[in-house]
Amino acid sequence: MKLYDYHTAPNPRRVRVFLAEKGIEVEKVNIDLMAQEHKTPEFLAKNINGQIPVLELDDGTCICESVSICRYFESIYPQPALFGANPVEMALIDMHLRRIELQLFRAIGTSWVNGPVVAKVAAGRFKQIPEAKAQSDAATHDYYKRMDRELGERVMLAGNEYSVVDAHAMCIIDFAEQMVDLSPADELSNLKRWRVEMASRPSAQA
Ligand SMILES: N[C@@H](CCC(=O)N[C@@H](CS)C(=O)NCC(=O)O)C(=O)O
């Protein structure tokens, strides 16, 4: 099996961190996003969305979407359980994962597409809308505040145990800080405490 990957992209990192937490090694194939390798007919045949990550199985089946790829590995290697160990944990982890994808990833993604780095590296690819960026920057900071409140009540984002929600949220916040100039405010001390803990896990290097 092969994982189609690109080192600085946050979505493939979600899978790499998850695999590192499970101790699973998978062959990686670099897809150069700058060279548009993800838009070739060969790659579009693997993922009609023209995006990475993609996990290609030995029989040619291609699994796209970071969460779906992680679920596949969770089914094969259930331990440690990163999608929950009982029905309540599973439901809560699913709920928090949907929230970070539908709210936090969406807001940061909108700020990214409408921001200065994309204007430079993908000039002309998107019609940039400054008002959309202002709105999604504000939505990102609101979401950080809400995470800070939640992390005042529990150790990790979906409970007291580390889960896929922590892995994926770390990846998008690191990306927001490094590439979108959207760092969480310094006074969000619970979020800061959690980020330090995430960064100290060996999987953060993935
Ligand atoms: N929902 C998808 C998002 C994948 C995604 O946006 N990947 C980015 C890299 S981080 C990509 O391939 N962007 C290139 C493009 O959209 O053209 C997932 O979770 O896998």
Side-chain angles (χ1 to χ4, degrees), residues 6-14 16-17 33-34 104-118 121 126 133 137 140 144 166-184 194-195 204 206:
Y6 186 66
H7 61 293
T8 55
N11 285 290
R13 184 170 177 234
R14 295 162 79 181
R16 294 199 307 271
V17 170
L33 297 183
M34 295 302 119
L104 185 63
F105 275 74
R106 181 179 291 171
I108 292 169
T110 302
S111 292
W112 163 247
V113 161
N114 290 291
V117 177
V118 164
V121 299
F126 302 97
K133 177 164 166 31
D137 284 359
T140 301
Y144 288 160
D166 301 291
H168 289 195
M170 174 188 76
C171 294
I172 196 63
I173 298 176
D174 287 354
F175 175 75
E177 182 166 79
Q178 291 155 16
M179 304 295 284
V180 199
D181 197 19
L182 280 174
S183 298
W194 171 86
R195 291 194 76 208

Side-chain angles (χ1 to χ4, degrees), residues 14-15 22 43 45 62 71 74 77-78 81 94 99 102 110 118 128 130 153 169 177 184 188 190 192 199 203 206:
R14 295 162 79 181
V15 175
K22 294 240 179 214
F43 195 79
C62 287
R71 282 192 192 283
E74 179 93 349
Y77 304 99
D94 190 59
R99 285 180 171 172
L102 295 170
T110 302
V118 164
Q128 293 204 306
E153 292 160 11
E177 182 166 79
L188 300 179
N190 300 312
K192 198 170 180 177
S203 61

Side-chain angles (χ1 to χ4, degrees), residues 124-139:
R125 181 153 168 233
F126 302 97
K127 177 176 165 25
Q128 293 204 306
I129 307 169
E131 294 80 5
K133 177 164 166 31
Q135 217 167 50
S136 56
D137 284 359

